Amino acid sequence: MLKCPNRPRDAQNEGDTGGGYFDQDVSRKKLAHAIILHEYSLSIVDHVGFRNFVASLQPMFKMVSRNTIKNDIIKIFDNLKSQTSMLLEKVTSRIAITTDMWTSNSNKKGFMTITGHFTDDSWRLQSILRFAYVPAPHDKDALCGALVNCLFD
């Protein structure tokens, strides 16, 4: 394919999936992002119907295991976490931190959201968000501990 004279020059760029060219790594990243975005179960990669659907779209795609897609998602998380850390290191303004707490109906587990708002150097409002599990009882010590742990993380 690299030597094909009929191959469009712009399709030779790395990561380019336009023009009908297949890239396993790009497809794996797209699958991981879809799982994150839509909160699909990791077991979707084991579902026969899903595998058949993907094979009908692109027979060259080698379906990954649950562990592989989990590792891909963790890499995406770690990358975004480091980007967020670098962004926060550059913040020269103050950060307003707000929290909200709720208990899920199904399993009665408590969760806290921590949101930080700040303006960047271009005066654009920026927001960061974190979810944290808070074990019962949800007293001031548990809430404070969860918040402090999130801020240190």
Side-chain angles (χ1 to χ4, degrees), residues 74-86:
I74 290 171
K75 284 179 191 173
I76 291 168
F77 171 79
D78 289 340
N79 184 26
L80 289 173
K81 185 176 176 181
S82 68
Q83 287 178 17
T84 302
S85 292
M86 289 189 300

Side-chain angles (χ1 to χ4, degrees), residues 9-21:
R9 293 241 186 257
D10 62 340
Q12 294 177 11
N13 296 332
E14 186 178 333
D16 186 351
T17 58
Y21 296 100

Side-chain angles (χ1 to χ4, degrees), residues 31 34-36 38-47 50 66 69 73:
L31 174 59
I35 289 171
I36 294 166
H38 299 290
E39 301 176 9
Y40 295 140
S41 168
L42 295 179
S43 66
I44 194 170
V45 298
D46 296 330
H47 297 173
F50 181 73
R66 280 189 224 189
I69 201 69
I73 290 169

